[in-house]
Amino acid sequence: MGVSGFIKGFNLLHRTKPRIRLHPYGYIQRRDFSDTKILNSNDSLLPVLIVGAGPVGLVLSVLLTKFGIKCTVLEKNKGFSKHPQAHFINNRTMEVFRKLDGLAEEIQRSQPPVDLWRKFIYCTSLTGSILGSVDHMHPQDFEKIVSPISVAHFSQYKLTRLLVKLLENLGFGIHTLEGPDSLDHEPLRGGEILMGYECVSIDTTDECVTATASFSKEGKLLTRKIQSKILIGADGAGSMVRKLVGIDLKGEKDLQKLVSVHFWSKDLGRYLLNERPGMLFFIFNTEVIGVLVAHDLTQGEFVLQIPFYPPQQNLEDFSAEICKKLILKLVGQELSDIDVIDIKPWVMHAEVADRFVCGNNQIMLCGDAAHRFPPAGGFGMNTGIQDAHNLAWKIASLLNGVAPTSILATYETERKPIAVFNTALSVQNFRAAMAVPATLGLDPTVANSVHQVINKGFGYILPSGMQKAILDGIFSIGRSQLSEFILNENNPLGSSRLAKLRHIFEEGKSLQLQFPAEDLGFRYLEGALVPDGDDVVPAPELPTGRRRDYVPCADPGSRLPHMNVKVLSNFPSEETISTLDLVSENKVEFLLIIAPMEESYNLAQAAFKVAEEYKVSTKVCILWPADTVTRVQPGSKAKLAPWKNYIDVIEVKRSLDSSSWWSTCQMTEQGAILVRPDEHIAWRSKSRAVGDLYSKMKIVFSTVLGFESMNS
């Protein structure tokens, strides 16, 4: 299936009729999520229950807590995973982390130096010939022109550890079933992470969601019921929440099966650190093929990914001793300190959930529970964290009585198309990764076809031992294409293959790490926003699979562009911040950015009045052109009185020829920009503010918050 067909294959705004479906552990009643009533307030209910204590669930709990919303987290495992798993944190996610009490700064301090992970290296062994390398960091990635922060390389379990510490600082407690702090019979008030609890059934009424959680204590399997206003399924790719509510996945299954080997070797780390530092090592030789992820060269922490072909192969074929031998074959020399920590199989999928919201807008899926990507490009965890960022302010708006339940439906409207796009881009990037072995004479599609023939064709009738021998023999013949006899410049075939390989690297057609245009430039086309009245909503752009630069803009649904600004005050020292920092990190607050013009001040007055009526916090930023003022302007105070929630800032240009703020936004200073609490643009006016400004701003806020649909 092509990329275009992949995207079109999803129904982006899927709706279902009300129904009740039975499930193995219980049932859930579901209604069409166009219902727009205000959620019935019941202070005895837990506001939010989050199922899953991975990075997505933990980030969502941090965001909700900072917005004043109490939540509890359930985790089926008795302890947090120590497997490195995801490790690339993209620009947008790092921007989110900047608002989480110093989390981004802690990651930057703790991650390996960028020169140790900026390259992907392709070789015959870790000590053998280098077939090519790709540097994925460009000079502009360090200049902080389009973002106030750079990408990071930081293992998932380390991120989880920091998030748990952050939550503890916010008053959360970690409760285990074996410890003295077990809460198996205590009422939940929010601020708890319950370890060892698995959600086994879900039921909904108009008033609440009831989750039944099972847990084992003193050898007995017990259950408890937890009632909440909202339930979030952030419980990973095999999401029990998704299964219980009967939401299906669409896309491509079983793209590839692999075995993941987590191991430590300081000797290997020291060698690679000194000789050929990199993040990923793609190793092709006649004995074994694998991809080595260097999570931390200094500490010597690695994960090896090896193709896996069950049922001819099984997990017993990858014991710790066998894995050590495979690692040595990939390294090309002896190592005495290999310590294999964990071996587990996994399957690569490319699927998106039919729905992200169900149960009368009471149940939502986040992260891998809603979408399963190939790891190529690192979109999985990043997309999930951005799901949480989109959802948190909407939940807070609903529970604080600012918005109706329909605002939660916009979570799916906005995030599902992004998930579909990122799935297609991940698949495209995965295919690009496969171009390298195919060029070397090892086409993975051929290997998969052979495997299918053995499984489903004539090979199926053969004894399992013979099937395995045939598979191993065919793969051994395939790997012979990597022999030094063939793969050298003096062999015409090898020379041709090596030339094609160099072309792939030079043209950027191999596996890519960064996608700035998609990372920072993704845009919501409809949802909690007001589209430009004179614009036709464009069709979703198809992914190219190549790195493209991000071009800032202020289209509704886009992320607010970054520019450094100086906060004007009457004090000698004035703080320089990013425009993204103008959006509050501790409360649900909209931001209206205007230029210091009479009509714009009038617009701000109207916005303040409407915001007060809707009980939604709003701040006005008066953004002055560079070199026009030096201190806080008394004019703003007079023109905005009696409203006091405003800030004067001035552009900080990098150079004389740098674009102004309004030019960066592709607008004029006569315009205005309304920014949501998640730093995405809710509405803009590209022209001078005239007419009935109060009515105009009332339409804007009612549309963004979802009240317009209630009145229509």
Side-chain angles (χ1 to χ4, degrees):
M1 181 186 296
V3 173
S4 176
F6 187 95
I7 292 179
K8 291 177 182 177
F10 289 90
N11 182 354
L12 301 185
L13 297 173
H14 183 73
R15 297 291 186 269
T16 58
K17 296 179 180 179
R19 57 189 171 138
I20 296 177
R21 177 182 290 181
L22 295 176
H23 295 282
Y25 300 95
Y27 73 89
I28 173 169
Q29 183 175 355
R30 293 183 295 175
R31 304 165 184 83
D32 188 285
F33 58 66
S34 62
D35 181 31
T36 55
K37 69 174 185 175
I38 295 287
L39 193 69
N40 194 336
S41 84
N42 184 342
D43 293 338
S44 67
L45 290 176
L46 178 70
V48 181
L49 178 65
I50 299 171
V51 180
V56 174
L58 295 177
V59 166
L60 180 58
S61 61
V62 172
L63 291 167
L64 289 173
T65 303
K66 289 172 75 67
F67 286 155
I69 302 300
K70 293 182 179 180
C71 59
T72 292
V73 183
L74 296 187
E75 171 54 48
K76 69 177 181 180
N77 296 305
K78 294 183 178 180
F80 295 103
S81 173
K82 295 183 179 179
H83 195 283
Q85 295 174 287
H87 56 94
F88 178 66
I89 306 176
N90 69 19
N91 251 148
R92 186 64 188 128
T93 298
M94 286 297 283
E95 289 179 350
V96 173
F97 288 171
R98 287 179 74 247
K99 300 289 187 76
L100 302 188
D101 299 344
L103 178 61
E105 291 78 4
E106 182 63 33
I107 290 171
Q108 289 182 315
R109 284 192 296 270
S110 304
Q111 72 171 346
V114 68
D115 285 343
L116 300 186
W117 53 267
R118 61 191 296 164
K119 292 182 179 180
F120 291 177
I121 295 174
Y122 300 79
C123 53
T124 57
S125 73
L126 294 177
T127 57
S129 301
I130 293 181
L131 302 171
S133 67
V134 179
D135 187 344
H136 291 282
M137 300 301 291
H138 295 186
Q140 63 265 35
D141 296 331
F142 305 100
E143 294 172 355
K144 298 184 179 180
I145 295 174
V146 297
S147 176
I149 197 163
S150 298
V151 300
H153 173 47
F154 195 66
S155 299
Q156 181 172 317
Y157 77 95
K158 296 179 181 178
L159 173 61
T160 298
R161 190 182 300 158
L162 292 183
L163 288 168
V164 170
K165 181 180 177 182
L166 198 162
L167 283 166
E168 288 176 328
N169 292 339
L170 290 172
F172 272 68
I174 314 300
H175 303 275
T176 59
L177 292 164
E178 291 78 12
D181 55 354
S182 172
L183 294 179
D184 49 304
H185 295 298
E186 297 294 322
L188 301 176
R189 306 297 184 190
E192 306 97 353
I193 300 178
L194 305 183
M195 306 300 294
Y197 287 75
E198 182 174 11
C199 181
V200 295
S201 75
I202 299 171
D203 190 14
T204 63
T205 67
D206 288 338
E207 299 297 322
C208 68
V209 183
T210 301
T212 302
S214 70
F215 59 97
S216 178
K217 189 170 185 179
E218 298 176 352
K220 296 180 180 179
L221 185 64
L222 306 173
T223 62
R224 71 170 293 175
K225 293 185 181 296
I226 304 171
Q227 291 188 325
S228 62
K229 297 177 183 178
I230 291 173
L231 184 144
I232 308 297
D235 49 341
S239 173
M240 180 58 76
V241 171
R242 186 185 66 237
K243 294 172 184 175
L244 288 174
V245 300
I247 293 177
D248 296 325
L249 294 164
K250 284 185 179 178
E252 295 186 61
K253 292 182 182 292
D254 298 346
L255 286 174
Q256 189 173 19
K257 295 181 175 68
L258 300 107
V259 169
S260 176
V261 184
H262 178 205
F263 71 96
W264 294 79
S265 172
K266 287 199 171 182
D267 287 348
L268 179 58
R270 277 192 294 268
Y271 170 78
L272 293 175
L273 192 151
N274 293 323
E275 299 296 328
R276 51 179 72 170
M279 176 191 283
L280 298 184
F281 296 83
F282 298 81
I283 308 158
F284 307 96
N285 62 48
T286 56
E287 295 188 277
V288 66
I289 294 169
V291 179
L292 185 72
V293 184
H295 281 267
D296 192 328
L297 290 178
T298 304
Q299 297 296 318
E301 184 174 20
F302 301 91
V303 170
L304 175 63
Q305 305 286 2
I306 309 168
F308 182 41
Y309 295 94
Q312 291 76 27
Q313 295 177 338
N314 56 56
L315 205 54
E316 294 175 0
D317 296 323
F318 297 90
S319 66
E321 284 305 311
I322 291 174
C323 286
K324 285 182 182 180
K325 292 178 182 178
L326 292 173
I327 292 167
L328 292 177
K329 290 176 180 178
L330 291 166
V331 172
Q333 67 179 32
E334 289 295 321
L335 292 172
S336 60
D337 68 338
I338 297 174
D339 183 12
V340 175
I341 304 299
D342 188 27
I343 303 164
K344 61 181 184 181
W346 64 282
V347 183
M348 187 186 300
H349 303 287
E351 298 175 298
V352 177
D354 277 344
R355 290 172 294 142
F356 287 19
V357 181
C358 68
N360 198 28
N361 295 343
Q362 295 165 297
I363 302 170
M364 278 133 275
L365 302 179
C366 257
D368 287 354
H371 39 72
R372 310 196 294 191
F373 304 157
F379 283 99
M381 183 181 73
N382 289 295
T383 304
I385 287 169
Q386 290 153 32
D387 289 342
H389 193 227
N390 179 283
L391 184 57
W393 75 271
K394 297 176 180 179
I395 291 176
S397 296
L398 171 65
L399 296 181
N400 287 333
V402 170
T405 58
S406 60
I407 195 169
L408 296 184
T410 68
Y411 164 65
E412 175 177 317
T413 304
E414 293 179 353
R415 292 303 300 170
K416 185 177 177 183
I418 303 301
V420 171
F421 182 93
N422 286 351
T423 304
L425 182 55
S426 298
V427 170
Q428 200 168 41
N429 206 23
F430 169 68
R431 306 287 188 214
M434 296 301 98
V436 172
T439 300
L440 295 174
L442 290 168
D443 191 337
T445 59
V446 173
N448 291 333
S449 297
V450 169
H451 187 226
Q452 288 180 7
V453 168
I454 293 176
N455 283 339
K456 299 177 181 179
F458 70 90
Y460 185 73
I461 63 174
L462 299 175
S464 59
M466 187 174 295
Q467 290 181 40
K468 187 175 188 300
I470 292 172
L471 190 69
D472 289 345
I474 292 172
F475 287 172
S476 178
I477 293 171
R479 291 194 302 271
S480 67
Q481 300 294 312
L482 304 171
S483 68
E484 292 183 4
F485 172 75
I486 295 177
L487 206 58
N488 70 80
E489 295 291 353
N490 294 322
N491 184 305
L493 178 60
S495 177
S496 172
R497 288 176 175 174
L498 291 171
K500 290 178 182 177
L501 196 61
R502 285 192 294 272
H503 179 74
I504 287 174
F505 296 143
E506 290 166 1
E507 294 294 315
K509 294 181 178 179
S510 60
L511 178 71
Q512 297 298 299
L513 177 65
Q514 290 205 72
F515 294 89
E518 291 78 11
D519 175 5
L520 297 174
F522 68 87
R523 176 188 173 195
Y524 305 134
L525 299 180
E526 50 186 331
L529 54 90
V530 182
D532 285 338
D534 56 349
D535 283 355
V536 176
V537 177
E541 189 174 351
L542 295 177
T544 65
R546 310 280 187 89
R547 173 177 171 140
R548 297 181 299 151
D549 289 335
Y550 160 70
V551 179
C553 75
D555 294 335
S558 300
R559 156 197 170 271
L560 181 70
H562 156 72
M563 175 181 278
N564 284 330
V565 294
K566 186 178 290 185
V567 179
L568 296 174
S569 70
N570 290 319
F571 301 99
S573 61
E574 295 168 333
E575 185 182 9
T576 297
I577 61 174
S578 167
T579 46
L580 297 171
D581 297 325
L582 296 167
V583 180
S584 175
E585 62 184 68
N586 294 316
K587 61 180 176 179
V588 177
E589 183 176 74
F590 285 78
L591 174 73
L592 180 65
I593 302 176
I594 62 171
M597 302 179 68
E598 186 70 27
E599 295 86 350
S600 297
Y601 281 119
N602 294 337
L603 181 73
Q605 283 273 5
F608 274 133
K609 185 175 181 180
V610 171
E612 183 180 56
E613 292 176 3
Y614 279 109
K615 299 179 181 179
V616 57
S617 179
T618 300
K619 178 169 64 178
V620 170
C621 169
I622 305 95
L623 203 152
W624 296 77
D627 304 322
T628 56
V629 291
T630 57
R631 290 288 182 267
V632 66
Q633 298 302 296
S636 295
K637 181 177 181 180
K639 292 181 182 299
L640 293 176
W643 314 104
K644 297 179 180 180
N645 192 17
Y646 69 91
I647 183 172
D648 283 293
V649 302
I650 186 169
E651 298 172 346
V652 177
K653 287 194 172 185
R654 296 177 56 86
S655 62
L656 291 175
D657 59 350
S658 296
S659 297
S660 69
W661 166 252
W662 297 105
S663 295
T664 298
C665 293
Q666 303 179 34
M667 295 172 61
T668 72
E669 63 179 6
Q670 295 179 351
I673 300 171
L674 183 67
V675 188
R676 307 187 323 190
D678 63 353
E679 300 165 5
H680 280 256
I681 294 168
W683 165 84
R684 68 170 174 182
S685 174
K686 294 191 288 185
S687 57
R688 188 183 300 271
V690 294
D692 185 351
L693 301 182
Y694 169 81
S695 296
K696 176 180 290 188
M697 294 312 300
K698 190 158 188 175
I699 291 172
V700 168
F701 275 99
S702 65
T703 301
V704 173
L705 294 173
F707 287 104
E708 186 183 63
S709 59
M710 295 181 71
N711 299 324
S712 60

